[in-house]
Amino acid sequence: MSASLPHRSVANIRGAAPTSSSRSGSSHRERESSSHRDRGDRDRERGDRDHSGTSTPARPIPTFNTPSSLRAEEELIVVDFGTRKIQVGFAGDSAPRGIVWFGPEQQRRIGDFRDWQTDYHQDWRSKAAGGNWGRDYELWRPDVRGLELGQVGDKVEKAVREAYTKYMLIDSRPRRMVCVVPTGLPIPLLSAALDSLFHRFQPPTVSLLSSPVSVAVAAGVRSALVVDLGWNETIVTSVYEYREVATKRTVRGGRRLTEETHRFLAKELGHVQRDNRDDKQEYVLSFEECHDVANRLVWCKPFKAEKTPKSSPPQPASPEGEGLATVEESDEDKPAITITTTASTAGEKPLPPPPKVTTIPLRSGRSPTSVEVTFDQLSEPCENTFFDSQYSLSSFDDHEIPVHLLVYRALLQLPLDVRALCMSRIIFTGGGTTVLGLRKRIFDEVCHIVQERGWDPVYGKAKEQLRTNPKLKKKHGRQTTNNNRDSSNNNNNNTLTTPGGVPPPAAASGAASEGGTAAPASGQEEDGIWHDAANSVPEVDPIEAQLARTNPSANGRKPLQGQLRAIESLGPWAGGSLITHLKVSTVSTIDKDQWTQHGVTGATVRQADVEAKTQQRLSWNAMNRGGREGKEPWTLGVWGAA
């Protein structure tokens, strides 16, 4: 075999000894370069003499060598925890980078080939028999009894890691995290989620944000009534100036809608289902198939004011005061006109078209089959889940109130100024909003209740008689006048003083007029001091004053209040991303070292209980002792109140 040629080898090119021709060529190039350098030096000396020593300094070359650790600290990860999914993305984005849904496929490991078995898709029956129908599709549930918290932590780790590698395309180096969680989340579930984040991803800090407040921020308002149509329950939260002031909840949610869909399909298949909703009932279809039908086909009927006799407005009373409405006269000899739909002559109206029918294939039963149902029947699961209009209101417990009545009661129990702002900013969020027509139906039902009852918590037959009968109105008016006269006499006899030491104007006017009817007092007594709230000057809102300075054109524009209105929002993840991007202080910030050392038991002090003097004293002691006593006390905020 012949040796390789010299010019074919890299070693010969780099390390070989130069030949005679190469030596002569290199010496010639060296002589030319030295002559060019001498000529350049002479030209430079001549230029220096001509320009009297002026020269342009050399410009430094910028270097962009920012360490990767600094870039990693700037990246903030926003995680929105839900019952059936989590949303993960970077702070400052308008939408999450990835949405990871929970399911039984997520719990499979490498080498698990059970999906190719013939009877694997029928394995859901064994789980449904034990009361776990659909539990594999949830991250957690409100009832933590019998729940494996370690499994919850494993689900959180797998979901976040999948979002990192599949959607965000980043590694698992330590990054600060912001978690958007509902305020009613139990402490064991919150502890399991934080343990998984701190031990698996090593973030320096984890901040907690409230989901209703994030929804209000994503809508661009400071006060709102957030109606979260969630999976396990529906939560109505009143937010006033970025603070949660009231919360109400009901068990009517997405899971109950899926169960009603299963009951409806089982009835169409000929299986009798029990009325009680428990985990011991027999399931004939899989959870995945029922949930798919509920998402694709189930819809909500629009609101109709004449659907119940109670919702019709009362008839006006007769002028004689008898409380009976005037009856319209008609000819008794004239036969009543009846509309028949069986005949189809040329002079009558045509017959109504037959109802539209859809065919639903079902593959998860004992044998594959199909059912044909009308579109009107597909609205029954939503009607039975969120409204139950066929039952009276007295038949519901406090935890299963219909959604529209829950929204009305949440507004009714708010203070007047808070209600005026929240009723004009009603926000619907959650997975239940995907049901066609559900949001409009709830809003129309609330408007009808407000138009029928007003904002009076008392309602019923006696209230309707008082409102429609003029005799009862006169009697009630005389009683009110007597009560006002007695209260004014008592106010005149009592010696009350204002904060300045002057008697109140109502008492002075009552003492001056003898025998006259005194006007009702316009103030109230607190601790022996008369406070005239009606004539007091309102306090200046610093936020409104700042907005007026920054935007003078909108100074004369007043915010809408006192009217029922629904607005849109970008969701809790977008609100959390905006809050984090603007560097607003969160409700609770947990340090990794403190959590690793103490866990959830380290949050022994609530945020409301930590006074400014106590914080100052603790920080002063820690500074004098060289920080040996640890950092300042931290809190879980509203999540630590339970």
Side-chain angles (χ1 to χ4, degrees):
M1 183 176 181
S2 61
S4 59
L5 298 176
H7 66 277
R8 296 290 182 89
S9 178
V10 178
N12 295 335
I13 296 175
R14 291 181 177 177
T19 58
S20 59
S21 59
S22 61
R23 290 196 197 97
S24 60
S26 60
S27 60
H28 178 68
R29 285 193 296 270
E30 288 176 0
R31 286 194 299 271
E32 289 183 353
S33 60
S34 61
S35 62
H36 285 300
R37 282 196 300 269
D38 296 341
R39 191 181 302 109
D41 293 339
R42 289 194 299 269
D43 294 341
R44 191 179 300 108
E45 292 176 359
R46 190 182 303 108
D48 293 342
R49 289 194 301 269
D50 295 341
H51 296 282
S52 64
T54 59
S55 62
T56 303
R59 182 167 51 185
I61 301 175
T63 57
F64 301 96
N65 52 356
T66 305
S68 59
S69 59
L70 297 179
R71 290 197 302 269
E73 291 180 0
E74 293 175 0
E75 294 176 350
L76 272 76
I77 308 300
V78 181
V79 183
D80 177 24
F81 284 97
T83 305
R84 293 202 55 207
K85 65 178 181 179
I86 66 169
Q87 305 180 47
V88 187
F90 295 106
D93 294 348
S94 59
R97 293 293 181 93
I99 301 176
V100 181
W101 292 83
F102 297 101
E105 300 297 329
Q106 188 190 26
Q107 304 176 16
R108 294 175 56 189
R109 298 183 178 181
I110 299 176
D112 188 358
F113 301 105
R114 291 179 298 172
D115 194 14
W116 283 268
Q117 295 179 359
T118 56
D119 56 345
Y120 176 73
H121 294 284
Q122 299 294 333
D123 190 46
W124 62 268
R125 297 182 183 276
S126 60
K127 297 180 180 179
N132 294 324
W133 189 72
R135 295 298 184 186
D136 294 338
Y137 296 86
E138 302 174 357
L139 174 60
W140 51 45
R141 58 179 183 268
D143 189 5
V144 297
R145 294 174 298 179
L147 184 64
E148 296 183 4
L149 298 180
Q151 187 178 8
V152 173
D154 293 340
K155 288 183 179 181
V156 171
E157 180 201 0
K158 290 183 179 180
V160 176
R161 198 173 298 278
E162 181 181 353
Y164 275 14
T165 58
K166 187 176 180 180
Y167 300 103
M168 304 178 68
L169 304 179
I170 58 176
D171 54 1
S172 58
R173 68 180 62 183
R175 293 176 176 85
R176 289 188 296 167
M177 288 187 177
V178 177
C179 298
V180 183
V181 294
T183 53
L185 188 67
I187 293 181
L189 298 180
L190 180 62
S191 176
L194 291 178
D195 278 336
S196 178
L197 293 179
F198 277 118
H199 291 90
R200 311 294 173 83
F201 300 96
Q202 305 292 325
T205 58
V206 173
S207 303
L208 301 180
L209 284 177
S210 172
S211 180
V213 175
S214 302
V215 171
V217 171
V221 294
R222 306 201 310 260
S223 304
L225 185 75
V226 181
V227 182
D228 186 6
L229 301 170
W231 175 250
N232 288 306
E233 56 188 0
T234 297
I235 306 174
V236 180
T237 307
S238 303
V239 179
Y240 181 70
E241 296 295 336
Y242 299 129
R243 288 187 177 93
E244 301 179 19
V245 295
T247 302
K248 287 185 173 296
R249 63 189 68 240
T250 179
V251 295
R252 301 176 182 271
R255 180 176 178 83
R256 189 165 180 175
L257 177 63
T258 306
E259 292 178 352
E260 288 290 341
T261 305
H262 173 269
R263 188 175 291 106
F264 167 74
L265 295 176
K267 183 180 178 181
E268 294 295 328
L269 290 175
H271 295 271
V272 180
Q273 296 287 316
R274 293 181 294 180
D275 293 337
N276 55 343
R277 302 177 177 90
D278 53 4
D279 293 335
K280 297 181 181 180
Q281 62 180 347
E282 181 184 359
Y283 293 96
V284 297
L285 297 173
S286 66
F287 171 84
E288 186 177 1
E289 194 166 29
C290 294
H291 183 64
D292 186 52
V293 173
N295 282 340
R296 292 172 179 265
L297 297 177
V298 172
W299 63 289
C300 183
K301 287 184 177 180
F303 169 74
K304 293 182 180 180
E306 63 274 9
K307 65 181 188 305
T308 55
K310 294 186 296 183
S311 61
S312 58
Q315 298 293 335
S318 60
E320 290 80 13
E322 299 176 358
L324 297 177
T326 304
V327 181
E328 219 178 75
E329 296 183 0
S330 60
D331 192 359
E332 298 181 358
D333 299 333
K334 187 177 180 180
I337 301 174
T338 58
I339 301 175
T340 59
T341 58
T342 56
S344 59
T345 58
E348 295 181 356
K349 295 182 179 179
L351 294 175
K356 297 182 179 180
V357 180
T358 181
T359 303
I360 304 176
L362 302 175
R363 298 292 181 264
S364 62
R366 294 291 182 183
S367 59
T369 182
S370 299
V371 294
E372 292 185 355
V373 294
T374 62
F375 282 97
D376 290 340
Q377 292 177 335
L378 288 173
S379 63
E380 294 179 5
C382 182
E383 187 76 22
N384 298 333
T385 300
F386 296 101
F387 302 101
D388 268 341
S389 56
Q390 65 270 21
Y391 300 105
S392 61
L393 299 179
S394 59
S395 61
F396 300 115
D397 292 335
D398 293 340
H399 67 281
E400 56 178 6
I401 301 176
V403 176
H404 63 284
L405 187 60
L406 186 71
V407 175
Y408 173 74
R409 291 185 179 181
L411 289 172
L412 184 62
Q413 295 182 2
L414 292 177
L416 186 61
D417 52 346
V418 180
R419 184 201 306 160
L421 290 174
C422 291
M423 67 184 297
S424 301
R425 297 158 180 85
I426 301 177
I427 305 174
F428 294 95
T429 183
T433 56
T434 58
V435 179
L436 183 63
L438 179 58
R439 293 185 294 177
K440 188 177 187 306
R441 170 70 181 277
I442 297 175
F443 183 78
D444 292 342
E445 290 277 0
V446 174
C447 293
H448 177 70
I449 296 177
V450 172
Q451 185 179 4
E452 186 180 20
R453 301 181 188 176
W455 300 109
D456 193 355
V458 181
Y459 65 94
K461 294 182 179 179
K463 180 67 176 178
E464 291 296 329
Q465 291 177 2
L466 179 62
R467 189 164 63 92
T468 56
N469 199 331
K471 289 184 177 180
L472 296 177
K473 280 186 177 181
K474 292 178 182 179
K475 187 182 297 185
H476 179 70
R478 287 194 298 268
Q479 292 178 359
T480 306
T481 306
N482 295 333
N483 294 336
N484 291 338
R485 186 182 295 111
D486 295 339
S487 62
S488 63
N489 293 333
N490 294 333
N491 291 335
N492 293 334
N493 295 331
N494 298 333
T495 57
L496 299 176
T497 58
T498 59
V502 184
S509 61
S513 58
E514 297 179 0
T517 302
S522 60
Q524 58 182 352
E525 177 190 359
E526 293 181 2
D527 301 332
I529 301 177
W530 188 267
H531 297 273
D532 192 3
N535 300 323
S536 61
V537 181
E539 297 180 358
V540 179
D541 190 357
I543 300 179
E544 292 290 348
Q546 184 178 2
L547 292 176
R549 289 193 300 268
T550 55
N551 191 8
S553 60
N555 191 12
R557 187 190 314 163
K558 295 183 179 180
L560 180 64
Q561 58 183 1
Q563 300 178 8
L564 287 172
R565 184 187 63 166
I567 61 177
E568 296 288 341
S569 176
L570 295 178
W573 189 93
S577 175
L578 180 59
I579 293 174
T580 308
H581 182 66
L582 296 177
K583 299 181 180 180
V584 180
S585 58
T586 57
V587 176
S588 174
T589 301
I590 307 170
D591 188 76
K592 174 194 170 185
D593 297 334
Q594 292 180 347
W595 182 269
T596 306
Q597 184 178 2
H598 301 287
V600 72
T601 58
T604 56
V605 185
R606 299 183 186 177
Q607 188 175 5
D609 299 336
V610 180
E611 300 179 357
K613 294 182 180 180
T614 307
Q615 289 184 352
Q616 184 178 2
R617 184 176 65 254
L618 292 174
S619 61
W620 177 259
N621 294 338
M623 182 176 60
N624 290 340
R625 298 174 186 176
R628 293 187 301 269
E629 299 296 331
K631 299 183 180 180
E632 297 182 5
W634 56 281
T635 174
L636 287 176
V638 293
W639 295 273

